[in-house]
Amino acid sequence: MSKQRYFLSAFAALTVFVGSAAASQPSPQNKRAPTPTKPPQIANELDNELSALITQFGITGHVAGQSSAPNINDPIPQLGMQLFFSKALGGEKSVACASCHHPKLGGGDSLSLPIGVNAIDADTVGLSRQAMNDEIDIPRNSPTIFNVGLATKALFWDGRVEQVSQEDEAGNVSTFISTPDSGFGLADSNAGDSLVEALSRFPVTSVQEMRGSAFNDAQTNDDVRSHLAQRIGDYGVESGGLATNAWLAEFRKAFNSEADAPSLITFDSIDLALGQYQSSLTLVDNNWNRYVKGNKNALKPAQKRGAKLFFTQAAEGGAGCVNCHGGERFTNDGFFNLAFPQYGIGKNDDNADLGRGLIDPQIQNQFAFRVPSLLNIELTAPYGHAGAYETLEQVVAHYVDPETAIDAFFERGGACGLKQFAQSSQCELLNANARVNSQAALTLLQSSPFVAAPLDSAQQKDLVAFLRALTDNCAKDKRCLQKWIPGPKTVDPDNLRLNVLSRHKG
C-alpha cells in the first residue's frame, strides 16, 4: 500500500473513532457547487411561427462554402495578409488594400465615400482618414470584405466582376468570369479561379483608389499589374523599386517553391494570395444560425419578432425583406433600384450613379446596385452605394417610406449632414444635383416591383434588433480579429506595412 493510500485509510478510521455524527457534517469548503443547467427551452407561439417560416424558406443555419474557406493560418492566406497590408501595392506606395478594407472596421473603412491615394496621412483609416483639400474622387462606398469569398454571382456594387453561365445551341453550358478587362458578359482568361481573385486585380489599377500617378508608361491594366509584380519581385524595370525587399523568401515559403522571382512573383500569384486572404474572412457564427439549429434562447423576444417581420410578406403585415435578402447569406445576389439618396460625385457628368445600368443599360438596371449580404450588417455602416445612411434605423425607415427617408436625408444636410463631411468645406459640392438625381431614382422605384414595408416604429425597432442577430461573434471582437492583421512577429518584407490602429482611432 502506498503512503498516500495508507494515510487516507488511517484518517478514515480516526474519523469513525471520533464520532460518526461529526463525520457526517460536511465542511463548508467541501460543498459541491450545484451543476449549472441550461435555461429551459420552451417553444412559444412566436417560436412555432418562426419554425414554420424557417421551414418554408429552407433555412438550415449552414452557409454554403463556409467549411471550405481558406484557413488564415495557412501559408498562402498568410502571404495574402502581408500583401493586403502593404502599401507597396499602391502605385505611389501610399495606400494599401487594408486602407479601405480593414478587419477592425467591419471589413470596410467606416466612411461614406472612400479616400484613396489623396489621403492627407497615408497611415490613417476610418474617420481619421481625410482627403487633401477635402476632395472626394471615389464615387462609391467601400464594401466589406467579410464573407466576400462566399459570393457566387458577382462582386462590386455594379457586379462588373461576374460569374456568367451561357448555353449554346447544342445545350452545352459554359461558365466563366467576366470583368472590365474582357468587357461585360465576356470571358476574362486572366480572371483566376474565383470572383475574389478577379476582384483583387482591379483596385490597384484605379488612379483614384491605389495607382495614383505612378507607371506613366502603362497603357493597360495589365501593364500596371506587371509593374507591381516586378516591384514586389525586384526584377525588370522595377528592380530596386523598394528600398527594402524580402518578398521572394515569403513567396517561396507560401508556394513551397524555389523558383526565381520572375517565375514565382507574377500578378497571378499576387491576386491568388490576396483572394485567399479575403476568402479566409468567413464570419457566419451568429445568434440567428444558433436559433435555426435549435437553440430557442439564442434570440431575444424583439429579435424573434423582427425575424418574423423579415420573413413575412408586406401584404401580410411583414416587411418582405426575404424577397431580396433570402437564403443563408441573406442576399439573392441580384441588382435592384432602392432609390437610396443620389449624392456625391457619381459616375455621370450630372453626378448621377446609374449603377448596374452603366454596364447593362436595361431599364430595370437604372440606379440598381448589387443586393448585399446582411451577415454582419451591424458592423458595416455607412450603408448604400454611397454610404448615405449611417444607421440601420435609417435604412429600415427608407424601406418603410423611401420618399420621406430621402427628404429626411436632405433635411439633415445631405452630404453635409454625414459624419465624414460635417467639417468639410467642400460638402456642398457633393450635394450638386443630388435632389434631382434622387428624384429620378425614386420615380423609377415607384414603377418597379418594390413594395414598401408597412411597419410602425415599434416594428422597425424589432427588425433592427433582428439584423443585429446576424453578427458573428468574432467579427465584433477586436482580439479575435487580430489573427487577420499582421502582428509584431509577422515578417514585414518591405517596411511599408499599414499599421495604424495603435495610433489612430477610426
Side-chain angles (χ1 to χ4, degrees):
M1 180 180 295
S2 68
K3 291 183 178 180
Q4 182 181 17
R5 291 180 61 188
Y6 176 83
F7 174 79
L8 291 174
S9 298
F11 178 77
L14 179 62
T15 302
V16 173
F17 178 78
V18 171
S20 58
S24 66
Q25 300 298 318
S27 59
Q29 64 267 30
N30 288 334
K31 286 184 178 179
R32 289 187 178 182
T35 302
T37 58
K38 294 182 180 179
Q41 297 193 51
I42 303 175
N44 55 31
E45 183 178 353
L46 181 55
D47 286 317
N48 293 334
E49 292 171 335
L50 271 181
S51 179
L53 289 168
I54 288 168
T55 300
Q56 176 185 342
F57 289 104
I59 306 298
T60 66
H62 297 278
V63 183
Q66 69 178 93
S67 60
S68 58
N71 187 319
I72 183 56
N73 295 315
D74 287 345
I76 294 179
Q78 281 289 303
L79 174 64
M81 179 177 69
Q82 292 170 303
L83 289 164
F84 199 83
F85 278 81
S86 174
K87 289 176 286 184
L89 283 181
E92 299 172 355
K93 306 170 192 171
S94 64
V95 60
C97 303
S99 299
C100 296
H101 302 281
H102 202 289
K104 289 187 178 179
L105 296 177
D109 59 8
S110 296
L111 300 176
S112 292
L113 294 174
I115 298 170
V117 298
N118 67 329
I120 293 175
D121 182 349
D123 286 320
T124 52
V125 295
L127 289 172
S128 298
R129 192 172 180 85
Q130 299 177 1
M132 289 183 283
N133 302 315
D134 286 338
E135 182 179 353
I136 296 298
D137 56 8
I138 301 176
R140 292 175 180 164
N141 177 262
S142 294
T144 179
I145 57 171
F146 288 176
N147 298 322
V148 68
L150 301 177
T152 58
K153 182 178 179 182
L155 293 174
F156 288 120
W157 279 107
D158 54 13
R160 61 188 183 273
V161 168
E162 185 173 17
Q163 188 85 41
V164 179
S165 294
Q166 290 184 345
E167 184 175 351
D168 62 21
E169 295 178 354
N172 299 312
V173 178
S174 61
T175 302
F176 55 83
I177 295 176
S178 172
T179 76
D181 282 353
S182 61
F184 177 68
L186 302 175
D188 183 346
S189 59
N190 297 317
D193 296 328
S194 71
L195 289 172
V196 192
E197 285 179 47
L199 172 145
S200 299
R201 300 175 67 82
F202 289 94
V204 297
T205 68
S206 167
V207 171
Q208 293 79 21
E209 293 178 31
M210 294 186 72
R211 177 182 173 181
S213 60
F215 317 132
N216 290 329
D217 64 328
Q219 300 298 312
T220 66
N221 286 344
D222 272 339
D223 289 342
V224 174
R225 297 176 190 123
S226 178
H227 272 282
L228 290 170
Q230 292 177 57
R231 172 191 287 178
I232 297 294
D234 196 22
Y235 63 89
V237 297
E238 291 293 329
S239 179
L242 297 176
T244 300
N245 193 327
W247 281 109
L248 181 56
E250 297 305 302
F251 273 75
R252 284 176 168 171
K253 180 170 63 175
F255 289 99
N256 191 26
S257 169
E258 289 301 315
D260 61 8
S263 303
L264 185 58
I265 305 181
T266 64
F267 204 84
D268 286 344
S269 61
I270 290 172
D271 74 54
L272 171 62
L274 290 172
Q276 290 280 293
Y277 165 71
Q278 292 173 84
S279 297
S280 74
L281 277 151
T282 298
L283 300 164
V284 297
D285 179 22
N286 57 57
N287 286 338
W288 166 249
N289 285 341
R290 292 187 193 90
Y291 180 85
V292 171
K293 294 173 184 176
N295 183 356
K296 300 306 179 186
N297 297 322
L299 296 185
K300 299 175 181 178
Q303 293 173 324
K304 294 180 183 181
R305 295 193 298 268
K308 180 183 175 183
L309 291 168
F310 187 97
F311 288 100
T312 301
Q313 298 300 323
E316 300 171 4
C321 309
V322 68
N323 296 329
C324 289
H325 293 284
E328 311 289 357
R329 291 174 45 242
F330 289 85
T331 175
N332 63 3
D333 290 310
F335 302 90
F336 207 84
N337 168 27
L338 288 173
F340 276 27
Q342 282 271 326
Y343 86 97
I345 64 172
K347 289 272 192 173
N348 297 52
D349 291 339
D350 64 352
N351 302 103
D353 189 343
L354 299 180
R356 180 73 167 176
L358 291 173
I359 61 173
D360 184 11
Q362 302 179 64
I363 186 63
Q364 67 267 27
N365 288 332
Q366 304 304 306
F367 300 106
F369 296 90
R370 183 173 59 87
V371 177
S373 166
L374 298 183
L375 296 175
N376 304 303
I377 193 69
E378 174 187 10
L379 307 175
T380 61
Y383 305 105
H385 71 279
Y389 292 134
E390 295 180 313
T391 68
L392 286 173
E393 287 79 4
Q394 291 171 352
V395 173
V396 170
H398 182 98
Y399 279 91
V400 172
D401 187 344
E403 187 170 5
T404 298
I406 291 171
D407 286 343
F409 172 76
F410 287 110
E411 287 170 6
R412 292 192 294 268
C416 299
L418 298 172
K419 291 178 183 177
Q420 181 180 357
F421 308 118
Q423 305 301 320
S424 170
S425 61
Q426 306 294 320
C427 67
E428 283 297 348
L429 294 177
L430 300 175
N431 285 331
N433 298 318
R435 280 188 176 272
V436 172
N437 293 331
S438 297
Q439 184 58 49
L442 186 60
T443 299
L444 284 176
L445 177 66
Q446 292 168 344
S447 60
S448 79
F450 174 83
V451 177
L455 306 181
D456 60 30
S457 59
Q459 290 174 315
Q460 291 180 49
K461 290 180 180 178
D462 287 344
L463 185 54
V464 169
F466 169 65
L467 294 176
R468 293 196 170 109
L470 306 180
T471 305
D472 178 275
N473 283 349
C474 181
K476 56 186 176 183
D477 184 343
K478 287 182 167 54
R479 291 174 298 178
C480 183
L481 290 171
Q482 193 61 47
K483 70 185 76 168
W484 284 283
I485 300 169
K489 295 183 180 180
T490 308
V491 174
D492 184 355
D494 52 29
N495 289 331
L496 287 172
R497 175 167 297 160
L498 180 76
N499 186 15
V500 296
L501 287 183
S502 61
R503 299 193 295 111
H504 299 274
K505 298 297 183 182

